Amino acid sequence: MAPDFTLDAHDSETAARAGRLQTGHGEVLTPAFMPVGTQASVKTLTPDELIAAGADILLANTYHLYLRPGVETVRGMGGLHRFMSWPRAILTDSGGFQVLSLSELRKVGARGVEFRSHLDGSRHMIAPEDAIRIQDGLGTDIAMSFDEPVELPAPAEAIRVAVDRTVDWARRGLDERRRLRDEGRGVMALFGINQGGVDAAERRRCFESLGGMPFDGFALGGLWVGEARALSLEMVERDVAMFPAERPRYLMGVGHPVDVIEAVARGVDMFDCVLPTRNARRGTVFISTGRLVVKNAAYANDPRPLDPACDCYTCRRFSRGYLRHLFTAGEILGMRLASIHAVSHMIGLARDARAAIIEGRFQAFRAAFLTRFQSGELLSPASVPVRRGSPGVTESASGFPRSGPRGSTEEMLDDVE
Amino acid sequence: MAPDFTLDAHDSETAARAGRLQTGHGEVLTPAFMPVGTQASVKTLTPDELIAAGADILLANTYHLYLRPGVETVRGMGGLHRFMSWPRAILTDSGGFQVLSLSELRKVGARGVEFRSHLDGSRHMIAPEDAIRIQDGLGTDIAMSFDEPVELPAPAEAIRVAVDRTVDWARRGLDERRRLRDEGRGVMALFGINQGGVDAAERRRCFESLGGMPFDGFALGGLWVGEARALSLEMVERDVAMFPAERPRYLMGVGHPVDVIEAVARGVDMFDCVLPTRNARRGTVFISTGRLVVKNAAYANDPRPLDPACDCYTCRRFSRGYLRHLFTAGEILGMRLASIHAVSHMIGLARDARAAIIEGRFQAFRAAFLTRFQSGELLSPASVPVRRGSPGVTESASGFPRSGPRGSTEEMLDDVE
């Protein structure tokens, strides 16, 4: 029942690799970017739009779905796939991170986590066994071990305790899956999560235990939470060096295009992040040449698509000027169209990396990607030749105002939320 | 250039009729329900979703687009069709109603209306000539005359003044279109709007003037603004009796299914209303058997689609339980899916009426529709057999909780907003 992971190609100059992960709901091509559907919905998008964007897997969240609508409702409706009408693979995060970051009055003990719901203040207790049973009840394809991330910076002692607990909970989660399988359930894959923050020794100590356990894949947890990019990437290198080559490797919560490509170069196979879609809903998207703040007034009369190099639905059909109008007017369609581009762009980037690895040109792809991404080309609205007229409209005497509001510069948002 | 309106069939027992209106952007089948895209976006929906719902025409608003993004921006981007990527017909409301209902400090005089923008307080003046020129600049297929609705109840004198002004502005608008045509522009159709509130004599007096003007169609304005349904329908009968048979008749702002069918029976051809989509965004939709408040807890475990008799995207793919979850969780996808159903349902209703008229069975259709709509059938979640399990999920010992929260009754919203 464990997912079958096949490696199709290894890059000769880096640790990058291309693979295929078989699940109960189809094949996942790696490197893979997984859109995030926290509450059984990738915000603003339909399943068909995700498929059109190339998604073969998405992520949902155990903590959120456990609280609302509840696992019995999802199970009664035929499981998460049928509930949200998503025919392809689903990975569920175990909820460890959300319990830590969202719930109130949480008490972490050896048995598990006691907390109050961020929705209604109700009391709950989730033990690592519960986390596995809930994910099985949701009908996920890939479950994650219940872990304890630490809020950094943390004293060495706190990190050590969290690592010990993560290892203990990992073992208990695997035991629970074994019990589920004895009952004829628990068909899902289960990934372990390596913790230890940016303490290389603790991460090593964590994996010395985890690595011996029969997980179907391993995740890199607790990274990209505020530390410098170089340090994060160093942790990625160290973790990946310990992880078994034949299992998929998943870097949790990472989704900046540069980080994705740099982590792929270090041997990571799977990614998820809310950043691209969250930014999109606020009017900012990544394009091939950098970050575009389409809600800026500078784009009000720009007839080009978000990214002329992109062939997503949004870029095929709509202009920056129209998207800018939708954001200014508070129209939900703006969030939708930007989200479609954002998801297509990240999945496309992972697919392009995969093709480059298979064709033995990953280093050239990586260099070209970085140069282009940092170029800022296409971002300036200044040099746009204006389309004039249309079949149904005759030009006015005054014509189109060529000098739009062009002084404004890129508004730079923080990369990681 | 005027749209060619062909009548395909007349019902023998009522005044209902089926027609086809040719525009510069395709044919509009009547009776027609026009979704409302006030700010160049039918809220939450893409053009492709509207086409899938059967829309061949939509409505946009002159007042809103004049203020934001501005007619020069729309014209510079190639006109409204290209701006919003909508290939089919567009009717623009002239803005008279919105100036009255939204703007601040408005001053209505013989010349036109002075007002402050509801967006930024800026001062504007729109004369009836401007309204025509703006609509031409947007590139609309069907423009509406600039009228002065009155806020009811109003003294007889106020209604009389508004009617006189509406007639004067109608003539000036037609003169302006003639000037535009002399410049090689103004290809759009132009509809006159009959006013007079629910004062039958004033409506008659208004049309005695309007009826002699070369409008391409006539609209019924100032109705369904709070008066009783019977009185509104009486006004419809009286107006339609005066209107020329060979021109399209448009009942503005009406969109309750019962009102649409009753007005079709009285000879109306076109409708628009924000009600179905506005309600949908709040979790309430019309289905064939009445009004469904899908956000109600009663539907949390209901595996049926919104309307089992509907074949829209939403009803083909998603359950009430999932939609209820999306609304509870505040997910935008809920608003989208409900809006898709709402638009499909209204357009489908108009199409069904058209087919019934053509096939000579409109009276039977009307009777069956009313009986079914008032039946409330399918609205109760109580009798639902629960689907159990799915290929990927094994049942728990406890199984699905059959007794959901079923006590709650329909929450009835006001029909007309």
Side-chain angles (χ1 to χ4, degrees), chain A residues 172-188:
Chain A
R172 285 165 56 189
L174 278 166
D175 288 347
E176 188 66 16
R177 186 176 64 163
R178 197 176 320 118
R179 278 188 291 273
L180 279 168
R181 289 189 170 177
D182 290 345
E183 300 167 20
R185 301 166 63 182
V187 295
M188 65 202 180

Side-chain angles (χ1 to χ4, degrees), chain B residues 313-325:
Chain B
Y313 175 70
T314 301
C315 289
R316 287 198 314 272
R317 293 285 299 275
F318 302 94
S319 65
R320 294 176 182 181
Y322 183 57
L323 266 85
R324 194 265 166 179
H325 166 66

Side-chain angles (χ1 to χ4, degrees), chain A residues 50-366:
Chain A
L50 293 166
I51 285 172
D56 46 24
I57 183 169
L58 58 76
L59 189 142
N61 190 273
T62 302
Y63 169 82
H64 286 277
L65 295 174
Y66 160 78
L67 291 179
R68 186 174 61 196
V71 66
E72 287 310 314
T73 289
V74 174
R75 194 209 305 268
M77 299 289 285
L80 193 49
H81 293 82
R82 191 189 284 182
F83 183 57
M84 63 188 295
S85 197
W86 172 249
R88 301 190 177 179
I90 295 176
L91 180 149
T92 41
D93 194 359
S94 61
F97 181 78
Q98 285 70 28
V99 167
L100 194 77
S101 58
L102 292 178
S103 72
E104 289 160 27
L105 298 173
R106 62 189 174 277
K107 229 173 87 183
V108 186
R111 207 186 131 213
V113 184
E114 266 186 81
F115 62 95
R116 280 180 183 276
S117 160
H118 73 291
L119 298 175
D120 62 6
S122 56
R123 285 178 177 282
H124 300 267
M125 159 80 200
I126 294 186
E129 292 84 358
D130 299 322
I132 299 304
R133 212 160 259 274
I134 292 166
Q135 292 178 85
D136 184 58
L138 294 172
T140 193
D141 298 296
I142 303 173
M144 298 301 296
S145 189
F146 195 61
D147 59 335
E148 191 197 351
V150 278
E151 281 178 291
L152 297 180
E157 175 60 18
I159 294 176
R160 195 154 50 236
V161 169
V163 162
D164 287 343
R165 211 163 259 154
T166 293
V167 167
D168 177 47
W169 291 359
R171 189 173 290 118
R172 285 165 56 189
L174 278 166
D175 288 347
E176 188 66 16
R177 186 176 64 163
R178 197 176 320 118
R179 278 188 291 273
L180 279 168
R181 289 189 170 177
D182 290 345
E183 300 167 20
R185 301 166 63 182
V187 295
M188 65 202 180
L190 181 55
F191 282 19
I193 305 178
N194 201 37
Q195 290 289 359
V198 289
D199 181 330
E202 280 302 313
R203 294 191 80 89
R204 167 164 295 282
R205 193 172 71 83
C206 189
F207 198 75
E208 274 165 7
S209 297
L210 286 187
M213 302 183 195
F215 282 112
D216 304 302
F218 290 98
L220 299 86
L223 296 174
W224 268 264
V225 289
E227 72 280 9
R229 176 177 281 168
L231 184 58
S232 310
L233 287 172
E234 184 198 322
M235 295 298 129
V236 170
E237 273 178 40
R238 289 172 180 273
D239 271 20
V240 166
M242 301 185 288
F243 285 12
E246 71 281 7
R247 298 279 161 80
R249 301 156 178 168
Y250 162 29
L251 177 54
M252 304 180 82
V254 172
H256 187 289
V258 171
D259 293 328
V260 167
I261 293 303
E262 288 306 300
V264 164
R266 286 162 177 79
V268 173
D269 305 303
M270 300 164 71
F271 302 86
D272 81 283
C273 193
V274 296
L275 170 72
T277 40
R278 186 176 292 170
N279 276 350
R281 292 196 306 281
R282 296 171 180 170
T284 299
V285 291
F286 295 122
I287 68 170
S288 51
T289 58
R291 179 193 292 272
L292 181 81
V293 185
V294 72
K295 68 178 174 186
N296 275 357
Y299 299 113
N301 298 305
D302 194 331
R304 292 175 302 180
L306 291 176
D307 189 347
C310 177
D311 72 344
C312 79
Y313 174 70
T314 301
C315 290
R316 286 198 315 271
R317 292 286 299 275
F318 302 93
S319 66
R320 294 176 182 181
Y322 183 58
L323 267 85
R324 194 266 167 178
H325 166 66
L326 293 176
F327 277 105
T328 310
E331 288 287 351
I332 282 172
L333 184 57
M335 296 198 278
R336 281 187 61 186
L337 296 178
S339 295
I340 287 174
H341 169 78
V343 166
S344 302
H345 181 75
M346 289 308 301
I347 293 171
L349 183 65
R351 284 292 148 78
D352 289 349
R354 178 181 158 82
I357 296 163
I358 290 173
E359 294 162 18
R361 53 176 179 79
F362 178 73
Q363 270 296 52
F365 164 83
R366 176 190 186 186

